[in-house]
Every structure is written in structure tokens, then in C-alpha cells.
Amino acid sequence: MQLQLIAFVLIIWNSMDYTGCQPHSSSRHRQHKVMSGASSGCQQGGCLTCSDYNGCLSCKPRLFMHLERIGMKQIGVCMTSCPPGFYGTRSPERNTCTKCRSECDSCFNKNFCTRCRAGFYLHLGKCLDTCPVGMVHSDAQRECVTRCSAECESCVNSDTCTRCRQGLYQLNGRCYSICPDDYEPNDNLMECTLQVHCEVGEWSEWSPCSRSGRTCGFKRGQETRTRQVLQYPSPFGNPCPEISDVKDCLVKKRKCLGEPQKKTNRKDRRNRNNRKDKESQEGRRERKRERDRDRGVGEREDSDNRNKTEHRHRRGHDSQTVSPEDGLTQ
């Protein structure tokens, strides 16, 4: 009723004829500025009744009537939602947009602000110029926020930090210089994250006994088995155990098929070794015979020398024992 009365007064004041929903063309109406998204007159179909100069007088169902001021003039606009600084109220007669309190930038109703104007701070739906005790104002959020503890840089309340000061790690709303047990520091996130330990699967079956990649031509070899890593550990988690295992094995020696050349080579090596042994034995015998011959020659020479010496001695002795008669005869 109040808006209808205002619209009626405006109609009379502007000396305009009411023409239902078919506005007359007017130079002044064509010149007035219309807000983006709102209907002017009945041209956009949001009006139920309208005036060619004052815009909408009533709106279609579920639309809000908003009085838009243009200089000294107000026009009615039908909108799907109210603009910032206004809140919508619904009634059986009419849906209207009502201005928020002066300190509110936006509101849910006349008693509950959702954002404050500059210089005011939101607290429990009200815009205050000073925050309550134990709280501080945030110029960026235009809100009253809880005073954080010394280790917090920002918080929800005094017991719940959302960001810790430099060098501290966050965990469940608290800040730690050293993370609790089962947690480890994450320098990228500056948080305490849960440690991840290594997990491995079951051992595989033992492999066949082998040696140097072969399964024949030997008696003693090795068997191996392995297992897979299912979960690799985090930097401070428990490391992985051994994922491979080796044990010695003993098998009956059997010949390798398809290797005749290698058998011949081994036989040739044995023959060469035997020949070398024979040659070395014969060499030793020959050297021994040579030594024996050298020793026999030496002994004969020594015997001859002794015989010559004795012969000279005997001749000398015989000359000394010659008789005088023999000397005269000579």
C-alpha cells in the first residue's frame, strides 16, 4: 500500500496519465537512465502494472519491487534479487527491496549484516566500530577476529590456528616446532604429515639352482627369490627390508647339451697339460744326465791328474836312487 501510494503521488506530481501496462512514448521517459538487469516500464515483461514515467507500479509473482533513484526522481524496477545494500522481504501483497542499515554494506535482514562498510567490523551479524574484548579487527575482512596465540599467524579462535608463524608446523589447529610421534615435517606445506612406512609383498618361489646364469655343468650353485615393494616410505618412514634373497644349492652334475666344442677344448687342455708334464719330466731327466756326465768327466780328469802326479813322483824317486856304477857307465 505504501509503494502504491508513493507511485500514485508521483504520477500526480508528474501530471502523467495512468495507462495500465501500455506506456505512452515520452521524450523524458526515453532519456532516463535504467540500471543493468532491471526492466524499464513494462518493456521487459517484469511489471504487472506500470507507468510510462515512473516505471513499474507492481511486479509479477516472485519478483522484487525496487525503487531506483535517478537524481530527484524514483522509478520502480522489478528484479529477481535485490541489489547490494538491500534485502528482500516477501508478503502476500508484494515483494519489496528494503535498504540495509547505514553501517551495513550488505545484509540478510534489517538486524543481520553480512558485510560492513569501511570503518566498521562484522561480529555476530552486527557492524561494530570497535571489537569486543579478546578480539581484534581485520581491515581486509572488515570483521572482528579472535586474538591468536603467540605461535599463530592466523586462527579461527584462540585454540585453532589456520596458519603458523615461520618455522612452525601446523597439525590439527596447533603449531609445533617438532612434530609428534608418527608424524613428520613437510617443509613445502609447513604441516606435520603422517609418516608412511614401507610395505612389501610375499616372497616368490625359489628359482632353479643355477650358476653364472646356467643350470648345468656344475654341482654347486645358488637359488634366488624376490618380493615387490607395495608402498614406498616417506622421508622419515621405516625403510624397506631386503627384496631379494640368495642361498647355496647342491645338485647332481649333468652335462650341458649343445656344447661339444667346449668339451673338446677341455680335453685338449688336459692333453696339453699332460704333454707339458711329460716334457718337464723328460727335461728334468736330461738335465740330471748332463749333470751326471759332467760329474763323471770331472772325476776322470781328477783321476788322471792324480795318476800323472804319482807317475812324476815315482820317476823322481827312481832317478835319486841310481847306483854309482850306473853313473860311471854313463
Side-chain angles (χ1 to χ4, degrees):
M1 289 297 294
Q2 184 178 1
L3 288 176
Q4 288 179 342
L5 181 60
I6 293 172
F8 182 72
V9 171
L10 289 173
I11 292 172
I12 299 229
W13 182 67
N14 290 311
S15 300
M16 299 296 297
D17 294 334
Y18 173 70
T19 57
C21 291
Q22 312 207 353
H24 296 290
S25 58
S26 168
S27 61
R28 286 182 299 173
H29 180 64
R30 286 193 300 269
Q31 291 172 359
H32 85 262
K33 189 182 296 184
V34 179
M35 190 177 92
S36 176
S39 60
S40 173
C42 297
Q43 294 178 1
Q44 295 187 9
C47 296
L48 190 61
T49 58
C50 56
S51 164
D52 61 349
Y53 187 71
N54 296 103
C56 295
L57 302 178
S58 62
C59 298
K60 292 182 178 180
R62 304 192 65 80
L63 297 181
F64 292 95
M65 168 66 74
H66 174 57
L67 292 179
E68 190 176 286
R69 181 177 293 278
I70 302 177
M72 296 295 294
K73 178 182 173 183
Q74 284 185 332
I75 62 171
V77 180
C78 294
M79 310 179 71
T80 56
S81 60
C82 295
F86 292 81
Y87 64 94
T89 57
R90 296 184 183 274
S91 66
E93 295 82 14
R94 161 186 309 267
N95 303 327
T96 59
C97 291
T98 306
K99 190 173 180 59
C100 299
R101 298 170 65 92
S102 59
E103 64 271 18
C104 290
D105 200 15
S106 61
C107 60
F108 180 74
N109 55 44
K110 65 177 182 178
N111 295 320
F112 196 95
C113 295
T114 55
R115 182 172 173 80
C116 298
R117 296 188 183 278
F120 292 88
Y121 306 98
L122 185 65
H123 178 62
L124 300 179
K126 296 187 179 298
C127 292
L128 309 175
D129 54 355
T130 58
C131 292
V133 177
M135 305 188 75
V136 293
H137 64 267
S138 170
D139 292 326
Q141 302 176 14
R142 297 183 186 176
E143 295 180 4
C144 293
V145 295
T146 305
R147 190 184 301 275
C148 299
S149 57
E151 64 270 14
C152 288
E153 190 170 306
S154 63
C155 60
V156 177
N157 51 52
S158 58
D159 296 327
T160 307
C161 292
T162 56
R163 186 170 63 252
C164 298
R165 296 194 182 277
Q166 187 175 5
L168 300 179
Y169 302 94
Q170 185 204 7
L171 175 64
N172 298 331
R174 293 184 176 275
C175 298
Y176 297 87
S177 59
I178 300 177
C179 293
D181 293 341
D182 297 328
Y183 290 86
E184 61 185 47
N186 186 320
D187 292 329
N188 293 328
L189 302 175
M190 292 309 294
E191 294 179 357
C192 292
T193 55
L194 193 64
Q195 288 182 353
V196 178
H197 303 299
C198 181
E199 296 181 11
V200 295
E202 298 293 332
W203 285 108
S204 65
E205 297 293 332
W206 287 102
S207 67
C209 191
S210 64
R211 181 176 178 179
S212 301
R214 301 171 59 187
T215 57
C216 60
F218 61 90
K219 288 184 177 180
R220 298 182 181 275
Q222 289 183 330
E223 296 178 358
T224 60
R225 62 177 181 174
T226 59
R227 54 184 174 182
Q228 293 184 341
V229 176
L230 304 179
Q231 175 65 63
Y232 286 94
S234 59
F236 292 85
N238 293 337
C240 293
E242 293 293 336
I243 58 174
S244 63
D245 192 13
V246 179
K247 69 175 182 178
D248 295 332
C249 55
L250 183 64
V251 295
K252 183 178 180 180
K253 185 176 181 179
R254 59 188 180 87
K255 297 181 180 180
C256 295
L257 300 178
E259 297 181 356
Q261 186 64 33
K262 292 184 179 180
K263 294 179 183 178
T264 303
N265 290 339
R266 287 198 296 270
K267 185 174 181 180
D268 291 342
R269 284 197 296 271
R270 286 196 297 270
N271 293 334
R272 285 196 297 269
N273 293 335
N274 293 335
R275 285 196 297 271
K276 288 180 180 179
D277 292 340
K278 291 180 180 179
E279 291 174 356
S280 61
Q281 291 176 3
E282 292 176 356
R284 287 195 295 271
R285 293 193 190 98
E286 183 64 27
R287 288 192 294 274
K288 184 178 180 181
R289 285 194 293 269
E290 290 177 355
R291 287 195 299 270
D292 292 342
R293 284 196 298 271
D294 294 341
R295 188 180 300 112
V297 171
E299 289 177 354
R300 284 195 296 274
E301 289 179 351
D302 292 341
S303 178
D304 293 340
N305 291 334
R306 285 195 300 271
N307 292 334
K308 289 179 180 179
T309 302
E310 291 176 358
H311 180 66
R312 283 194 299 269
H313 288 168
R314 283 196 300 270
R315 288 178 61 187
H317 180 71
D318 291 341
S319 61
Q320 290 177 2
T321 57
V322 173
S323 64
E325 294 179 355
D326 292 337
L328 292 176
T329 304
Q330 292 178 355

